[in-house]
Amino acid sequence: MKLATLANGTRDGRLVIVSHDHAQAVAVEDIAATLQDAIERWPAVQPALKARADLLAAGKADGAFDFATADVLAPLPRAWQWLDGSVYGTHGDLMQKMMGLPPVTRERPLMYQGISDQILPPTADVAFPTEDDGIDFEGEFGVIIDEVPMGATPAEAAEHIRLVVQINDWSLRVLGKTEMQTGFGWIQAKPPIAMAPVAVTPDELGNGWRDGRVDLPLLIDWNGKRVGAAEGYAMDFNFPELIAHAARTRTLCAGTIIGSGTVSNENYAEVGSSCVAEVRAIEIIAAGKPATDFMRFGDTIRMEARTWDGLPAFGAIAQTVVRA
């Protein structure tokens, strides 16, 4: 099942079901008004949503219409909680080298809590005050969960994964290094994230969902040039483990989003990178200094994952960096 949120003049939009190929959609206000509403009542509404999705797939859904990503908000235009991991070891190693910081251990997941009161639509321009802050994209996968009780095990947490999403976790690297060194977390360095237009149930990904991980490449084009095609499977900790980590001392509310961190692979020489910072780190390792600048106003970024049978998984994030 695939779900999206159409703009309707409200903060939370209106929920629709999207066809497998993203060509058609159908409204579901009679079942759940918004995605947050659906997640909070998932056991009660999931059967009706699935039945409507089956009608759409069979070409029998009343009121079906053409699906256009220009009309969408993020699947969750705002969320109660956004918790982002960093569980790709290669990314962690490269980032430490880029910032001149000591290596980090991988005995437990890294995670921070970011801004969630606004989540950017997949085609929205992204405004920043200055290019000097080190504007960077970060391609990630994530999951949306319903309520997870405090102390849940990874096996228990897995039962609460309702939807899988694709994310651009925007970062301001110059500010990030300063804030990391304070030891108190990010505020200025982490603006709102963007989300691909469609959120999907794990079964929708077929063999692209394996062992609690997205087993698909994330294709990233910067200014029209392919810079990354890293595979999502290479997580040191899978999503159930990330959820259990976050729930150790708190109940996680329905609608919490858990991110994977930047998708990264050991064979980056072949598959490229999912952020500019990694590109710069690789250049530092090879030549002692970076040759690639961070993003400039007018730059474009496009991110998309496709299932192994060639269908769109989440749709594309396609954004332009502009001056605030």
Side-chain angles (χ1 to χ4, degrees):
M1 186 163 53
K2 296 190 171 189
L3 299 168
T5 295
L6 296 189
N8 68 349
T10 69
R11 285 286 306 272
D12 300 302
R14 68 182 182 113
L15 184 64
V16 299
I17 287 175
V18 181
S19 61
H20 298 296
D21 60 1
H22 295 195
Q24 294 259 291
V26 64
V28 292
E29 289 105 326
D30 56 317
I31 303 171
T34 66
L35 185 55
Q36 180 65 34
D37 178 30
I39 291 293
E40 290 179 352
R41 299 187 295 120
W42 192 262
V45 304
Q46 189 274 342
L49 291 172
K50 179 64 166 58
R52 189 74 52 87
D54 290 343
L55 287 174
L56 183 63
K60 299 179 180 179
D62 292 337
F65 54 90
D66 292 341
F67 179 65
T69 55
D71 301 328
V72 304
L73 303 175
L76 269 181
R78 53 180 173 170
W80 291 110
Q81 190 163 220
W82 154 240
L83 302 174
D84 195 20
S86 181
V87 295
Y88 290 91
T90 299
H91 175 73
D93 291 344
L94 290 172
M95 290 302 297
Q96 296 302 106
K97 290 175 182 176
M98 187 200 74
M99 292 186 286
L101 300 174
V104 296
T105 62
R106 301 178 190 171
E107 297 173 357
R108 54 182 288 170
L110 296 177
M111 185 174 285
Y112 77 94
Q113 184 161 353
I115 183 173
S116 61
D117 63 319
Q118 57 175 316
I119 299 174
L120 301 176
T123 59
D125 290 346
V126 186
F128 297 104
T130 174
E131 296 174 341
D132 296 337
D133 289 338
I135 303 167
D136 199 356
F137 54 86
E138 291 193 68
E140 305 188 11
F141 295 114
V143 296
I144 301 174
I145 57 177
D146 63 6
E147 185 172 295
V148 177
M150 181 170 59
T153 66
E156 292 166 341
E159 299 301 314
H160 294 276
I161 295 174
R162 299 310 183 193
L163 296 166
V164 188
V165 293
Q166 177 191 308
I167 293 164
N168 184 3
D169 177 29
W170 288 99
S171 291
L172 299 173
R173 299 297 189 184
V174 173
L175 301 178
K177 181 177 181 180
T178 300
E179 290 188 319
M180 283 184 70
Q181 290 172 334
T182 69
F184 211 60
W186 286 306
I187 294 294
Q188 295 177 343
K190 285 294 184 179
I193 64 173
M195 194 176 286
V198 177
V200 308
T201 51
D203 63 286
E204 191 74 35
L205 298 176
N207 57 6
W209 176 258
R210 184 164 63 91
D211 301 330
R213 298 167 168 88
V214 177
D215 189 12
L216 297 171
L218 183 54
L219 308 179
I220 299 181
D221 299 327
W222 179 14
N223 291 331
K225 179 182 177 182
R226 178 64 46 82
V227 295
E231 298 272 355
Y233 187 78
M235 299 168 72
D236 295 336
F237 300 90
N238 65 14
F239 281 111
E241 290 169 321
L242 282 173
I243 297 165
H245 174 77
R248 182 177 179 273
T249 59
R250 68 178 83 175
T251 295
L252 302 179
C253 64
T256 295
I257 307 165
I258 305 284
S260 66
T262 305
V263 178
S264 185
N265 297 163
E266 289 183 354
N267 60 331
Y268 51 75
E270 289 79 40
V271 301
S273 300
S274 301
C275 67
V276 182
E278 277 197 14
V279 174
R280 289 168 59 88
I282 294 164
E283 292 168 346
I284 290 171
I285 294 168
K289 61 180 182 180
T292 301
D293 290 333
F294 288 109
M295 300 184 80
R296 301 294 184 188
F297 297 137
D299 280 8
T300 61
I301 187 67
R302 188 179 192 278
M303 301 179 178
E304 183 180 23
R306 302 185 77 85
T307 59
W308 293 114
D309 57 4
L311 290 174
F314 313 96
I317 295 172
Q319 298 182 282
T320 300
V321 173
V322 299
R323 185 187 299 275

